[in-house]
Amino acid sequence: MHETIGIVWNPAKVAESELSAAVEAAVASSGREPDLHWFETTVADPGGAAAREALAAGCTIVVAAGGDGTVRAVAGALGGLGERAGEGSPRADLGIIPLGTGNLLARNLGVPLGDPESAFARVLAGEAQPLDLGEVTLTRADGASEAEAFVVMVGFGIDAQMIVETDDDLKAKAGWLAYVESLGRATAETEVVEFSLSLDGADPHPEEAHTLLVANCGTLQGGITLLPDAEPDDGELDLLVLRADGIAAWLDTMRNMVWENGLKRLLTGGDRAESSASTGHLRARTVRVQLPHPHAFEVDGDDFEDVVSFEARVLPAALRVR
């Protein structure tokens, strides 16, 4: 079967010659002869416009070769964000060559890391599987709003503040370990706040927490699973609410994550995450949050400042991924 493949690549992550050599090696090993088209990202366009160019060129597979920002931009374009999000079948399959720091979707899907040839070989050989797309609409303090795609998770609190605090130079040298260095500062900058939370259109209710994550996938760097129920193709979003404030509460959080939703779940075969006084696990298709004051917010590792409210929804099977 002849395939037309568009490769949307970030030149800041890899030299064209290096990526091209890896792709050509994978093609040679596969015995296939796909028609390859190359589309370069820019600072102004992390991949969305390039992916739409690939679609216009008739590509049936569009490969995001870059970091999490490139992957979510390409995913948003393939899922029709801003045009026809969630309507009809995906217009092309999504492939991933992970070249970034977090590579979060690749980690959750088992895509080879640090090996562009193997990652592209997976694209050529793999069968497309459904993948949910998340859409979050952010409202800023000045009243402006914007819609962003996500494939892994969004939220505010320690996770978002950690991204804001991360040193870019250290990130370039140490990769995801740079986030660990910023964790202490992020923890000091976050505080428990009361906010309004509404799930699936229900009446809003008050919630108190320092961190709220809304996720399509649950595993982070280092193999840490924060949301054990999160599946990228189950048509639902999983929420993690962290309320710990003080040593005793943090110990409860650690017990919940390591024992109740870790070893105990493994031993007993539990199929639902357990909550505790400091840690809440929820599920929904739509999530609406009103914050008491502007917060830093993260979308698949990208930071957004001065967010005062947001609405997230899942678009079931809006993507196909290899």
Side-chain angles (χ1 to χ4, degrees), residues 132-135 150 152 214-217 227 230-231 234-239 282-287 312-315:
D132 297 340
L133 177 66
E135 178 184 351
F150 69 95
V152 181
V214 181
N216 188 43
C217 301
L227 298 103
E231 297 289 345
D234 63 0
E236 290 189 290
L237 297 170
D238 286 75
L239 284 69
L282 304 167
R283 308 190 87 187
R285 288 176 174 266
T286 62
V287 180
R313 64 172 179 145
V314 64
L315 306 173

Side-chain angles (χ1 to χ4, degrees), residues 259-298:
W259 169 244
E260 294 175 344
N261 293 307
L263 293 175
K264 178 183 175 183
R265 180 180 173 125
L266 183 64
L267 293 171
T268 62
D271 60 357
R272 280 291 180 265
E274 296 184 23
S275 298
S276 70
S278 68
T279 308
H281 290 272
L282 304 167
R283 308 190 87 187
R285 288 176 174 266
T286 62
V287 180
R288 297 182 65 184
V289 170
Q290 182 72 45
L291 294 163
H293 50 74
H295 269 67
F297 194 87
E298 72 100 353

Side-chain angles (χ1 to χ4, degrees), residues 9-259:
W9 68 286
N10 184 342
K13 300 295 185 181
V14 64
E16 182 177 7
S17 58
E18 180 182 346
L19 181 58
S20 178
V23 167
E24 290 173 4
V27 169
S29 298
S30 72
R32 302 188 182 191
E33 297 182 358
D35 185 13
L36 300 177
H37 297 258
W38 293 78
F39 303 89
E40 187 174 328
T41 71
T42 65
V43 174
D45 169 44
R52 286 187 286 273
E53 286 183 44
L55 291 172
C59 295
T60 56
I61 303 172
V62 180
V63 179
D68 291 325
T70 302
V71 171
R72 79 176 188 88
V74 172
L78 298 187
L81 189 71
E83 305 167 30
R84 44 171 290 282
E87 299 178 7
S89 300
R91 292 176 287 186
D93 293 352
L94 170 67
I96 304 169
I97 300 179
L99 301 171
T101 303
N103 301 312
L104 293 177
L105 183 60
R107 292 177 190 275
N108 279 272
L109 297 179
V111 177
L113 304 177
D115 188 347
E117 181 181 338
S118 294
F120 193 71
R122 173 185 169 120
V123 173
L124 293 172
E127 293 186 7
Q129 301 296 325
L131 176 68
D132 297 340
L133 177 66
E135 178 184 351
V136 61
T137 301
L138 309 175
T139 301
R140 311 244 189 178
D142 62 3
S145 64
E146 60 187 288
E148 297 287 341
F150 69 95
V151 286
V152 181
M153 66 180 64
V154 302
F156 69 87
I158 289 179
D159 192 50
Q161 195 63 39
M162 182 172 65
I163 293 169
V164 172
E165 296 285 343
T166 299
D167 181 88
D168 288 339
D169 291 336
L170 182 61
K171 180 178 173 181
K173 295 176 183 177
W176 69 266
L177 290 174
Y179 293 126
V180 178
E181 186 273 339
S182 68
L183 181 59
R185 294 193 304 277
T187 303
E189 290 293 326
T190 56
E191 60 181 0
V192 174
V193 297
E194 184 172 305
F195 56 92
S196 170
L197 175 64
S198 173
L199 303 180
D200 292 333
D203 291 338
H205 67 273
E207 177 64 78
E208 288 188 351
H210 58 71
T211 298
L212 172 65
L213 296 177
V214 181
N216 188 43
C217 301
T219 299
L220 301 182
Q221 298 94 330
I224 299 172
T225 300
L226 288 182
L227 298 103
D229 288 351
E231 297 289 345
D233 60 353
D234 63 0
E236 290 189 290
L237 297 170
D238 286 75
L239 284 69
L240 178 64
V241 185
L242 297 180
R243 312 180 185 96
D245 187 14
I247 294 177
W250 274 111
L251 289 174
D252 177 71
T253 296
M254 294 304 297
R255 177 183 59 79
N256 178 265
M257 291 182 175
V258 176
W259 169 244

